[in-house]
Amino acid sequence: MNRRVRRKLARKSKGNVVQSSFPEVQDEVLDLETQRQGVVDWKCLPDDTVIQLLSCLSYRDRASLSSTCKTWRSLGSLPCLWSSLDLRSHRFDAGMASSLAPRCVHLQKLRFRGAESADAIIHLQARNLRELSGDYCRKITDATLSVIVARHEFLESLQLGPDFCERISSDAIKAIAHCCPKLNKLRLSGIRDVNADAINALAKHCSKLTDIGFIDCLNVDEVALGNVLSVRFLSVAGTSSMKWGVVSHLWHKLPNLIGLDVSRTDIGPSALLRMLSLSQNLRVLIALSCPILEEDTSFSASKYKSKLLISLRTDIFKGLASLFFDNTKRGKNVFLDWRTSKNNDKDLNEIIPWLEWMLSHTLLRSAENPQQGLDSFWVEQGGALLLSLMQSSQEDVQERAATGLATFVVIDDENASIDCGRAEAVMRDGGIRLLLGLAKSWREGLQSEAAKAIANLSVNANVAKAVAEEGGIEILAGLARSMNKLVAEEAAGGLWNLSVGEEHKGAIAEAGGIQALVDLIFKWSSSGDGVLERAAGALANLAADDKCSTEVATAGGVHALVMLARNCKFEGVQEQAARALANLAAHGDSNSNNAAVGQEAGALDALVQLTRSPHEGVRQEAAGALWNLSFDDRNREAIAAAGGVQALVALAQACANASPGLQERAAGALWGLSVSETNRVRLQIRNRHGMTQNDNALQVCHRG
């Protein structure tokens, strides 16, 4: 129910509706009044409408809305609303699983994150589960995975990755083979060794297994893979120690193989050409980021017209268009064209989703581990491919594509440097609008990854302007209010980057961004450094604007930032909180803001303490805050009473080799305190040898 509806109902309760002694007339009058005012009686909505509404909400919002009345509680528990469940954004343990179990009797698709969630899956009692997908799987063991597959014998799809499954061995793969005879898709990442026994067990017991991915594994038995005659799609991307001579002599005999991915391996031209020439049914071979192949400038696969090779040297979009077997000139929206076309090619309808998944995975891996010489590829094809994949109907493909965009533009993460050419290529290809569309999705996984990409791209001033013009500031301000910490964190990062531009500060304030950022600090005050650093950093930028600075103070920003300076132990959070307090003390209604910071309980003590931090950035911002605060008469004495004189003298003496910024702030703070006669006396008596430590400190700080 929105604010406007609540207000109108409140007016009715005050007697603005004509009363009647006849109930049926009264009801009719109420109905007419309701229709006239445009008020909707939610209890009278058709069940189908309510179900559709609930299906468009996140799981948390769905549960909250379902609790409003008995009817909606019943509708909210219908199996159609619980056939799919994404638990990655929530803490999922045995207790939560048991509470969800009554709703999950008909659950068919589950996404989870981490070992604790994996351990809790069996408590859902979802015996009809068909698809299971997990990430952050490094700590999942053979025992856990074996129990999961033993309880879910109807599994058709099992995917674990993209991070490495370091504790899963061939023993667990054999358990999968014995327990899941209906398995159609198996994609595992980072297995140390996939031996012949495990692969032969899959070949023997999983007759419907058509899609296999042993990705980023250390060792896979090539001979045994040649025994899985049912396989149609096979990926060994990133897998080392492959014997390509064996592969080229065996795998071309696989009777049903139509798609093969050997990206990020050391395959050479001879093995690749043998597969292309001898494999009867092979239609697509992906070989992206294969160094040996790319070093051979004479290599060409152009004579195999009926087979598509995707590599860094090929025109990927042109090749993808050739799969349609027509003369239509298709551009960079080839995947979208396929989804909107009426194509009856059964193989193609399987190839395209597989291609999307594999390309998104390899492009993300390549972005995470940048290679030399790929600049032209990313600008001309890579970025456009990621944008195309963002329009996939597969949610995990969309997420990886957005993460890829967030990653491939970054040159130096520590210094927030991005490749302007890549960022502006994304903008030219319509990427900003696509990302903002994903950010408005109800799926929290898409929200967080899209917001991350928007944040990184917005480091570029031209992109930041485009984000603002497309309504991105309002979207990010809304996401900063999310109950999902990951979503709120990435949205705060976007506001932080946008707030660097003076032209965007007012728009952030108008969108309610300042209040959202302040509230975010209180909401996640004990939940880690990422979200708090981003929120404090954004507020620090906004506090450098006079109008926004006043609004930050009015919104409770002083209390929130002092709380961080006092209680948070993370270097980045301390630095941004101190910087924000420094800007608050110097901008807006400076007299009012300065006093507000100085009089906030614990503020001066916290800043004095931060001048002793082992991190130079924290010391510099804390000294800067004390310098600005020292312009207020009341603050000078309070800073000294909090030990500020001793702390700043010690800081000044120690900063001979520090940055000019730290030297300037330490000297400035001491100068500001010395305006007070009492403080001058304090400074004088700090020296036992005739020359004041204040004089010495000022000399040190101005050196160089």
Side-chain angles (χ1 to χ4, degrees):
M1 192 179 295
N2 61 36
R3 183 177 177 182
R4 179 167 175 242
V5 172
R6 281 204 302 267
R7 185 170 62 247
K8 290 195 172 182
L9 290 179
R11 283 206 305 268
K12 285 172 62 178
S13 66
K14 294 182 181 179
N16 289 344
V17 178
V18 177
Q19 302 295 319
S20 170
S21 58
F22 300 97
E24 63 276 14
V25 176
Q26 181 176 346
D27 290 343
E28 189 173 319
V29 172
L30 285 172
D31 287 343
L32 288 172
E33 181 68 12
T34 295
Q35 292 175 21
R36 185 181 65 79
Q37 294 184 352
V39 178
V40 176
D41 186 348
W42 298 105
K43 293 179 292 185
C44 296
L45 286 175
D47 289 354
D48 288 347
T49 303
V50 176
I51 294 169
Q52 184 66 29
L53 173 64
L54 293 171
S55 71
C56 295
L57 300 176
S58 67
Y59 302 108
R60 183 188 291 106
D61 292 341
R62 187 183 302 170
S64 298
L65 192 57
S66 297
S67 66
T68 55
C69 67
K70 184 176 179 180
T71 301
W72 283 31
R73 190 177 301 113
S74 175
L75 293 173
S77 300
L78 290 174
C80 63
L81 292 173
W82 297 95
S83 62
S84 175
L85 196 58
D86 185 350
L87 295 168
R88 293 172 301 157
S89 301
H90 311 277
R91 175 160 185 179
F92 180 59
D93 53 21
M96 182 178 178
S98 297
S99 68
L100 285 173
R103 298 180 178 182
C104 295
V105 175
H106 300 284
L107 185 67
Q108 294 194 6
K109 182 177 180 180
L110 176 65
R111 301 184 73 181
F112 71 95
R113 174 165 289 165
E116 183 183 23
S117 296
D119 291 334
I121 287 173
I122 59 173
H123 297 285
L124 282 175
Q125 301 180 21
R127 301 303 294 265
N128 294 309
L129 197 63
R130 299 295 196 273
E131 298 180 37
L132 182 63
S133 175
D135 55 23
Y136 289 81
C137 300
R138 290 182 182 273
K139 296 183 179 180
I140 296 178
T141 63
D142 280 355
T144 297
L145 185 54
S146 297
V147 171
I148 290 174
V149 296
R151 297 289 185 91
H152 302 96
E153 63 271 20
F154 296 114
L155 270 181
E156 297 173 0
S157 173
L158 175 61
Q159 301 182 83
L160 299 179
D163 47 316
F164 294 174
C165 304
E166 296 174 343
R167 299 188 182 183
I168 294 176
S169 72
S170 293
D171 290 339
I173 297 175
K174 284 189 281 187
I176 293 169
H178 287 285
C179 296
C180 304
K182 297 181 179 294
L183 197 65
N184 172 266
K185 180 189 300 178
L186 177 65
R187 295 172 183 165
L188 304 175
S189 294
I191 310 293
R192 291 185 181 276
D193 180 68
V194 186
N195 62 30
D197 287 346
I199 296 173
N200 287 331
L202 291 171
K204 179 179 179 180
H205 299 287
C206 301
S207 59
K208 298 181 179 180
L209 186 57
T210 60
D211 187 334
I212 298 176
F214 292 129
I215 302 169
D216 292 311
C217 297
L218 295 182
N219 185 47
V220 177
D221 192 288
E222 307 91 344
V223 176
L225 271 176
N227 298 329
V228 189
L229 302 181
S230 60
V231 68
R232 291 170 61 79
F233 300 97
L234 176 60
S235 175
V236 290
T239 293
S240 57
S241 304
M242 297 292 293
K243 301 179 182 65
W244 294 110
V246 175
V247 168
S248 63
H249 283 85
L250 286 178
W251 291 5
H252 72 84
K253 298 176 184 178
L254 288 167
N256 299 300
L257 186 66
I258 60 175
L260 176 62
D261 182 12
V262 295
S263 298
R264 298 180 294 111
T265 66
D266 58 356
I267 191 171
S270 59
L272 199 68
L273 289 174
R274 187 173 178 84
M275 285 298 301
L276 288 170
S277 62
L278 296 180
S279 183
Q280 295 298 313
N281 295 310
L282 188 65
R283 291 183 64 177
V284 179
L285 201 162
I286 311 174
L288 288 168
S289 298
C290 297
I292 296 177
L293 187 66
E294 289 150 15
E295 287 171 4
D296 188 342
T297 56
S298 63
F299 173 76
S300 174
S302 58
K303 63 180 179 179
Y304 303 105
K305 298 295 185 182
S306 61
K307 294 169 184 175
L308 170 62
L309 173 66
I310 296 177
S311 73
L312 295 181
R313 291 177 175 273
T314 62
D315 186 329
I316 297 175
F317 286 105
K318 183 177 179 181
L320 291 171
S322 71
L323 289 173
F324 286 90
F325 297 110
D326 62 25
N327 295 320
T328 304
K329 183 178 180 181
R330 299 178 186 275
K332 295 180 178 180
N333 292 322
V334 61
F335 289 125
L336 183 61
D337 290 343
W338 166 75
R339 279 188 291 276
T340 57
S341 66
K342 296 180 180 179
N343 197 298
N344 296 319
D345 187 330
K346 181 182 176 181
D347 285 350
L348 190 59
N349 291 339
E350 293 179 334
I351 289 172
I352 297 298
W354 177 80
L355 261 176
E356 289 182 331
W357 200 97
M358 293 302 163
L359 287 174
S360 66
H361 189 283
T362 289
L363 289 172
L364 177 56
R365 278 283 190 250
S366 298
E368 291 171 337
N369 303 285
Q371 298 174 243
Q372 295 293 326
L374 289 187
D375 286 346
S376 60
F377 167 76
W378 283 119
V379 172
E380 295 168 11
Q381 296 199 84
L385 271 171
L386 289 169
L387 290 175
S388 181
L389 293 168
M390 274 173 44
Q391 301 173 71
S392 170
S393 58
Q394 302 176 79
E395 184 182 345
D396 51 350
V397 170
Q398 290 180 303
E399 287 182 19
R400 272 197 300 274
T403 308
L405 285 173
T407 306
F408 95 109
V409 297
V410 178
I411 299 173
D412 183 352
D413 194 27
E414 289 295 323
N415 297 310
S417 299
I418 68 169
D419 187 298
C420 292
R422 297 180 189 181
E424 295 191 11
V426 172
M427 181 176 64
R428 284 195 303 271
D429 287 334
I432 303 306
R433 185 168 296 177
L434 285 173
L435 284 165
L436 291 174
L438 285 188
K440 291 189 288 186
S441 165
W442 65 268
R443 295 181 173 89
E444 292 173 331
L446 290 176
Q447 290 176 350
S448 64
E449 298 308 318
K452 180 191 299 181
I454 293 165
N456 287 356
L457 289 163
S458 294
V459 171
N460 178 277
N462 292 331
V463 175
K465 180 180 178 182
V467 169
E469 290 174 348
E470 293 285 349
I473 289 176
E474 291 81 1
I475 293 172
L476 290 172
L479 293 180
R481 302 182 184 96
S482 173
M483 295 298 293
N484 183 312
K485 190 181 79 169
L486 292 176
V487 175
E489 179 176 324
E490 300 301 348
L495 293 174
W496 187 4
N497 288 343
L498 285 164
S499 64
V500 171
E502 294 298 323
E503 67 274 24
H504 304 312
K505 289 181 170 67
I508 292 173
E510 290 175 9
I514 290 176
Q515 188 65 63
L517 290 163
V518 172
D519 292 345
L520 191 152
I521 290 175
F522 289 119
K523 187 186 300 181
W524 305 108
S525 59
S526 59
S527 299
D529 59 329
V531 64
L532 298 176
E533 181 180 6
R534 287 163 172 77
L539 289 172
N541 287 347
L542 292 164
D545 174 85
D546 285 341
K547 184 177 180 181
C548 291
S549 186
T550 301
E551 187 166 337
V552 171
T554 304
V558 173
H559 182 60
L561 292 163
V562 169
M563 179 182 68
L564 292 183
R566 292 180 64 186
N567 302 328
C568 191
K569 304 304 180 186
F570 296 106
E571 169 196 352
V573 179
Q574 292 175 339
E575 181 176 342
Q576 297 307 322
R579 185 168 72 92
L581 291 171
N583 285 344
L584 280 170
H587 293 88
D589 184 347
S590 56
N591 292 332
S592 172
N593 280 5
N594 201 305
V597 174
Q599 293 170 20
E600 179 68 29
L604 301 180
D605 290 310
L607 290 169
V608 169
Q609 186 61 37
L610 291 181
T611 63
R612 303 185 178 99
S613 169
H615 306 290
E616 182 174 321
V618 177
R619 296 196 301 271
Q620 177 172 310
E621 297 302 343
L626 291 172
W627 184 8
N628 289 344
L629 288 165
S630 69
F631 283 88
D632 186 285
D633 293 338
R634 292 164 295 184
N635 289 338
R636 293 190 195 103
E637 301 299 330
I639 292 170
V645 173
Q646 298 93 318
L648 287 165
V649 167
L651 177 63
Q653 288 181 318
C655 73
N657 297 319
S659 66
L662 175 55
Q663 294 176 356
E664 179 186 13
R665 286 166 174 78
L670 284 170
W671 174 82
L673 291 178
S674 69
V675 174
S676 163
E677 182 64 33
T678 303
N679 287 344
R680 274 202 298 272
V681 173
R682 287 192 179 105
L683 287 164
Q684 293 288 338
I685 64 175
R686 292 289 298 163
N687 183 10
R688 299 177 181 178
H689 305 289
M691 179 181 179
T692 70
Q693 287 191 359
N694 184 42
D695 292 338
N696 189 31
L698 289 172
Q699 288 175 16
V700 169
C701 283
H702 285 125
R703 187 178 298 162

